[in-house]
Amino acid sequence: MSLKKIISLCEKQGFFKKLSVSYDETSDFIHHLKLGPVGAMFQENLRNEWLQNIVIGSKNFNVFLSGPSFVDTFEYAKQMSSERAPFAIAEFLKKETHRSESNIIINNSNEQNDFRNVLLNYGNMETIFRITTFLTKSDAIPFFHKWQRQRKIWWRKISASPGRYNLTDIQENENGRQSVEIKSDFPWGSQVVESMSIYTCEHNRLQPHHLQLKEGRKKISPHFIVSNINLSSMILNFICDAYEEPPYHEGVRPMMRIHRKLAPYKVAFTLSTNAGVMNNLNDLALYLCKQFRNECISTLLTLNAPKVTQEVQWQQYDQMGIPYTVVLNDNTLRNGIAHLRSRDTTLKEQVHISTMLTYLQQIFKNY
Amino acid sequence: MSLKKIISLCEKQGFFKKLSVSYDETSDFIHHLKLGPVGAMFQENLRNEWLQNIVIGSKNFNVFLSGPSFVDTFEYAKQMSSERAPFAIAEFLKKETHRSESNIIINNSNEQNDFRNVLLNYGNMETIFRITTFLTKSDAIPFFHKWQRQRKIWWRKISASPGRYNLTDIQENENGRQSVEIKSDFPWGSQVVESMSIYTCEHNRLQPHHLQLKEGRKKISPHFIVSNINLSSMILNFICDAYEEPPYHEGVRPMMRIHRKLAPYKVAFTLSTNAGVMNNLNDLALYLCKQFRNECISTLLTLNAPKVTQEVQWQQYDQMGIPYTVVLNDNTLRNGIAHLRSRDTTLKEQVHISTMLTYLQQIFKNY
């Protein structure tokens, strides 16, 4: 399992499109990639998962989604919170990047195979998912510890191998600022996926007179915790996280075990290739597909079954990370029973087509 | 009801932040605005509604979400569709804008009050939600008519006054290209919210040899239908669409009747102001808030009830477009019964706190 292999599989399945490969002075390869349509949907799902969990799902205090101006958002949040901590501000922050230059320098180290060897091209922009939580002095340190645990749990929850994610030790810089990172372990080394720091003094975008809250009747300067996720690292992380090669028959079965909440497509179809009933099966697949999509279950529809076997189609769906395939055949037309094939186990269970929708809804509701 | 009045209400409630007001040579005012935190969440909900409905919810064929390259996405979509129409490509298209210049020229017309008098600032970029559907020649015209109806229904479905949305007559330009627009009617005139055109010839981003599909065994050049929504017009439209001034007591009650699927916050709380039980009520509100947020119901939490009456808080929530407020008081602590106040009717129904979550989930599930 190497990064190169994962990327070439993902290219085949529409996650990425390769722009070019370059070599730096240590002859490490650097892949320049763009998101493909499957990758674009994967990105939307990641963005949505973060928004639902961190912004809308924040349990104990309000998280405000920032408009283009952080300062205005802070003022609004302060007013809505009666000038009292805690509250937080979430941002989809766009920054100009000069990664390709710095990249080549970093590659002088001896790591052979790393996210740094992959450049996801967003036209020289990178996106940071940032959350800044404002707290009173006494709440800050306990919350920082709680936040670290919560964040680790989030990464683990939507991962194919949760054990991969770990917190680093707390680093203290010369100003006494504490930082900690969440890293995910891969055969080629650990990758930073999120970094968190606690600040006790000035904010680079807020004037000191803005950054004042109340505690009881006193005026205080809040402490704040900043948490950063780089979108392109997040995408690469969950792609590599999902890649597996379980043994299958004589060989292996390369597949993307993407968490069902993140999977670009949740369901696909395969139809038996008996030509006589093909039109009826097509109609049935279309009927089920409409039902699923009506409930916002992202479904890949491939009608007019191509001239390949079901095995070959399953292989493709497994590599696209589609968790379930509805298998329809002659018998389904007679007795209404379809098979639901699981990507992870390759096992098929019998489900009546009238209960297929509710059964799938139940599966996709939970983590 | 004027655009100016709506904007100043929205400014107060965190939808927008005013940057400046300028006047053009006809002394029309031009508002320069930025999205505020409530507006940012509103934008997310619009984006999500479009994505769920148009991309994931497309009933009869696959819609592929485009990565940064439209051409690559087309190639992928073509391959996944065995080179056969219909299929579609959805894009969040970012374009440089020079609206502020063109704006001033347009304003020489005599319209006093128009979206053209409002500039939503995204740092000189505008976002277009575009969908391009590829069809065989024989399917193109019937689908174009069906698509128009579907799109009109979509706008009506998430609107506060569905009758506002209408299709214009089909326009034919000199090349024989047919176009149609969806307009929404306001006191100051109609605004274009979506435009749709059917193309029979070249695509500006696809080479003729790319733009070839199969029909039976023949090679064909597909026709295609392009549908465009400008994000900033969509936001302004649904803001103005939602603004109402129903009579209330002696005067009126200005409010934002935002559709519940789009509302930035779905639920808020007000607590009775009896100081003795305030801590208990705070705890109860926090408990319910956690329940709601755990199910991704966006909830505004305002604890330590400020020194204003419930009436004043309701007024604020109505103006923020929050559809429901959970009202907790001394009695709730004794018998578990809370009141659920509706923004639209101002009526309160009794709901037991143990069933509040399921009751709200039921409400927000449907359109």
Side-chain angles (χ1 to χ4, degrees):
Chain A
M1 171 175 164
S2 75
L3 188 55
K4 215 166 169 174
K5 200 166 163 186
I6 298 174
I7 285 171
S8 84
L9 179 124
C10 286
E11 250 191 280
K12 215 174 82 189
Q13 302 303 346
F15 285 93
F16 300 126
K17 173 87 182 177
K18 192 173 285 179
L19 293 173
S20 61
V21 180
S22 60
Y23 296 87
D24 67 4
E25 52 266 51
T26 60
S27 49
D28 263 4
F29 63 93
I30 301 177
H31 294 283
H32 298 260
L33 303 174
K34 260 195 230 174
L35 278 187
V38 178
M41 194 53 102
F42 187 58
Q43 174 177 278
E44 283 299 322
N45 291 350
L46 276 169
R47 177 192 160 100
N48 192 45
E49 195 56 37
W50 188 83
L51 193 68
Q52 295 295 335
N53 243 281
I54 314 300
V55 183
I56 295 171
S58 156
K59 299 296 180 293
N60 294 305
F61 49 82
N62 291 315
V63 180
F64 299 90
L65 182 63
S66 181
S69 159
F70 181 83
V71 177
D72 294 344
T73 306
F74 179 80
E75 284 301 322
Y76 180 82
K78 186 172 157 179
Q79 178 207 328
M80 289 298 285
S81 314
S82 320
E83 302 191 34
R84 276 159 214 284
F87 60 82
I89 297 176
E91 294 169 274
F92 297 113
L93 202 68
K94 292 214 189 297
K95 273 184 161 179
E96 274 197 57
T97 170
H98 302 285
R99 279 177 77 203
S100 69
E101 285 89 295
S102 69
N103 197 68
I104 289 169
I105 297 158
I106 294 165
N107 267 342
N108 282 326
S109 74
N110 270 333
E111 296 192 43
Q112 281 293 311
N113 220 338
D114 196 303
F115 290 175
R116 287 172 292 191
N117 297 63
V118 183
L119 294 178
L120 242 182
N121 190 309
Y122 289 93
N124 279 331
M125 296 296 276
E126 60 179 0
T127 303
I128 310 286
F129 290 4
R130 173 176 292 176
I131 181 148
T132 310
T133 311
F134 296 89
L135 298 143
T136 60
K137 195 178 162 190
S138 57
D139 285 350
I141 293 286
F143 181 79
F144 190 44
H145 292 289
K146 192 174 150 196
W147 178 247
Q148 290 168 32
R149 284 196 304 276
Q150 280 181 356
R151 297 303 304 142
K152 190 176 75 178
I153 289 167
W154 183 80
W155 286 93
R156 291 184 163 194
K157 195 167 68 168
I158 51 177
S159 157
S161 34
R164 202 189 288 289
Y165 299 88
N166 286 298
L167 288 160
T168 61
D169 290 336
I170 293 179
Q171 304 284 318
E172 208 167 308
N173 81 348
E174 62 271 24
N175 303 326
R177 194 174 80 217
Q178 296 188 339
S179 297
V180 72
E181 289 173 338
I182 295 175
K183 287 191 164 186
S184 63
D185 292 325
F186 291 104
W188 54 82
S190 317
Q191 304 271 186
V192 175
V193 288
E194 180 162 4
S195 58
M196 293 163 270
S197 299
I198 182 163
Y199 293 78
T200 54
C201 45
E202 326 68 88
H203 190 284
N204 61 348
R205 288 182 287 172
L206 296 170
Q207 300 293 323
H209 69 275
H210 281 128
L211 191 59
Q212 277 208 334
L213 300 176
K214 283 190 201 154
E215 192 178 0
R217 295 177 178 197
K218 283 207 314 277
K219 288 215 167 201
I220 57 155
S221 295
H223 291 195
F224 55 95
I225 291 166
V226 179
S227 195
N228 286 320
I229 301 173
N230 183 309
L231 175 59
S232 105
S233 304
M234 176 155 65
I235 292 173
L236 290 170
N237 169 70
F238 279 115
I239 291 278
C240 296
D241 180 279
Y243 183 81
E244 282 185 16
E245 292 179 347
Y248 189 64
H249 295 317
E250 306 291 272
V252 294
R253 179 171 70 98
M255 60 170 275
M256 300 293 289
R257 207 149 75 82
I258 300 175
H259 190 283
R260 57 179 164 266
K261 289 274 179 189
L262 303 180
Y265 293 102
K266 315 292 186 200
V267 192
F269 291 93
T270 55
L271 315 181
S272 90
T273 44
N274 178 336
V277 295
M278 193 44 90
N279 280 340
N280 293 342
L281 285 181
N282 271 342
D283 287 350
L284 183 56
L286 193 57
Y287 166 78
L288 288 171
C289 175
K290 277 187 194 176
Q291 276 197 335
F292 302 162
R293 288 182 175 174
N294 211 24
E295 297 296 323
C296 295
I297 298 174
S298 170
T299 308
L300 181 70
L301 185 64
T302 40
L303 294 180
N304 309 310
K307 282 130 205 86
V308 294
T309 62
Q310 289 199 326
E311 277 287 334
V312 173
Q313 281 186 282
W314 292 337
Q315 195 178 45
Q316 185 192 4
Y317 297 160
D318 290 347
Q319 292 180 5
M320 289 172 76
I322 304 175
Y324 291 96
T325 305
V326 175
V327 181
L328 304 175
N329 57 30
D330 304 20
N331 281 327
T332 317
L333 293 174
R334 276 195 291 275
N335 59 16
I337 292 172
H339 288 91
L340 190 64
R341 178 187 177 274
S342 155
R343 171 196 69 192
D344 299 345
T345 61
T346 73
L347 298 177
K348 294 188 268 295
E349 38 178 344
Q350 296 194 340
V351 182
H352 196 274
I353 51 169
S354 63
T355 58
M356 189 65 89
L357 174 64
T358 33
Y359 189 68
L360 283 173
Q361 278 182 304
Q362 203 53 47
I363 288 174
F364 286 110
K365 220 183 95 183
N366 302 314
Y367 277 89
Chain B
M1 172 175 162
S2 76
L3 188 54
K4 215 167 170 174
K5 199 166 163 187
I6 298 173
I7 284 171
S8 83
L9 179 124
C10 285
E11 250 190 279
K12 216 174 81 189
Q13 301 303 347
F15 285 93
F16 300 126
K17 172 87 184 179
K18 193 172 283 176
L19 294 174
S20 61
V21 181
S22 60
Y23 296 88
D24 66 3
E25 52 266 51
T26 61
S27 49
D28 263 2
F29 64 93
I30 300 177
H31 294 284
H32 298 260
L33 303 175
K34 259 193 233 176
L35 278 187
V38 178
M41 194 55 103
F42 187 58
Q43 174 177 278
E44 283 298 322
N45 291 351
L46 277 169
R47 177 192 160 102
N48 192 45
E49 195 56 37
W50 188 83
L51 193 68
Q52 294 295 334
N53 243 282
I54 314 301
V55 183
I56 295 172
S58 157
K59 299 296 180 293
N60 293 305
F61 49 81
N62 291 315
V63 181
F64 298 90
L65 181 63
S66 182
S69 160
F70 181 82
V71 178
D72 295 344
T73 306
F74 179 79
E75 285 300 323
Y76 180 82
K78 186 172 158 179
Q79 178 208 327
M80 289 299 285
S81 314
S82 319
E83 302 190 32
R84 275 160 216 284
F87 59 84
I89 296 176
E91 294 169 274
F92 296 113
L93 203 66
K94 292 214 187 298
K95 272 183 161 182
E96 273 198 57
T97 170
H98 303 284
R99 279 177 77 203
S100 68
E101 284 89 295
S102 68
N103 197 68
I104 289 169
I105 297 157
I106 294 167
N107 268 342
N108 282 327
S109 74
N110 270 332
E111 296 193 44
Q112 281 294 313
N113 219 338
D114 196 303
F115 291 175
R116 286 172 293 191
N117 297 63
V118 183
L119 294 179
L120 242 183
N121 189 308
Y122 289 94
N124 279 329
M125 296 296 276
E126 61 179 359
T127 304
I128 310 286
F129 289 3
R130 173 177 291 176
I131 182 149
T132 310
T133 311
F134 296 89
L135 299 142
T136 60
K137 195 179 163 188
S138 56
D139 285 349
I141 293 287
F143 181 81
F144 189 44
H145 292 290
K146 192 176 151 194
W147 178 247
Q148 291 168 31
R149 284 196 305 276
Q150 280 182 356
R151 296 304 303 143
K152 190 176 75 177
I153 290 168
W154 183 80
W155 286 93
R156 291 184 163 195
K157 196 168 66 167
I158 52 177
S159 157
S161 35
R164 201 189 289 287
Y165 299 88
N166 286 297
L167 288 161
T168 61
D169 290 336
I170 293 181
Q171 304 284 320
E172 208 165 307
N173 81 347
E174 63 272 25
N175 303 326
R177 193 174 79 218
Q178 297 188 341
S179 296
V180 72
E181 289 174 339
I182 295 175
K183 287 191 166 187
S184 63
D185 291 328
F186 292 102
W188 54 83
S190 320
Q191 304 271 184
V192 175
V193 289
E194 181 162 4
S195 58
M196 294 163 270
S197 299
I198 183 164
Y199 294 78
T200 55
C201 45
E202 325 72 84
H203 190 284
N204 61 350
R205 289 182 286 171
L206 295 171
Q207 301 292 323
H209 69 275
H210 280 129
L211 191 58
Q212 277 209 333
L213 300 176
K214 283 189 199 156
E215 192 178 0
R217 295 180 179 193
K218 282 207 316 275
K219 290 217 165 197
I220 57 155
S221 294
H223 292 194
F224 55 94
I225 291 165
V226 179
S227 196
N228 285 321
I229 302 173
N230 182 308
L231 175 60
S232 103
S233 305
M234 174 154 67
I235 292 173
L236 290 170
N237 170 70
F238 280 116
I239 291 278
C240 296
D241 179 280
Y243 182 82
E244 282 185 15
E245 291 178 348
Y248 188 64
H249 295 316
E250 305 292 273
V252 294
R253 179 171 69 98
M255 60 169 275
M256 299 295 290
R257 207 149 76 82
I258 300 176
H259 190 282
R260 56 177 165 269
K261 289 274 180 190
L262 302 180
Y265 293 102
K266 316 291 186 200
V267 192
F269 291 92
T270 55
L271 314 183
S272 92
T273 44
N274 177 337
V277 295
M278 195 44 91
N279 280 339
N280 292 343
L281 285 181
N282 271 342
D283 287 350
L284 182 57
L286 193 57
Y287 166 78
L288 288 171
C289 175
K290 277 186 193 177
Q291 277 196 335
F292 301 162
R293 289 183 175 174
N294 211 24
E295 296 297 323
C296 295
I297 298 174
S298 170
T299 309
L300 181 68
L301 185 64
T302 40
L303 294 180
N304 309 309
K307 281 128 206 89
V308 294
T309 62
Q310 289 199 327
E311 278 287 335
V312 173
Q313 281 186 283
W314 292 338
Q315 197 179 45
Q316 184 192 5
Y317 297 160
D318 290 348
Q319 293 181 5
M320 289 173 77
I322 304 176
Y324 293 95
T325 304
V326 175
V327 182
L328 303 176
N329 57 29
D330 304 19
N331 281 328
T332 317
L333 292 175
R334 275 195 291 276
N335 58 17
I337 292 172
H339 288 90
L340 190 63
R341 177 186 177 275
S342 155
R343 171 196 69 193
D344 299 346
T345 61
T346 73
L347 298 178
K348 293 187 270 293
E349 36 179 345
Q350 297 195 338
V351 181
H352 196 274
I353 50 168
S354 63
T355 57
M356 190 64 89
L357 174 65
T358 33
Y359 189 68
L360 284 172
Q361 278 181 305
Q362 204 53 45
I363 289 173
F364 287 110
K365 221 184 95 184
N366 302 315
Y367 276 88

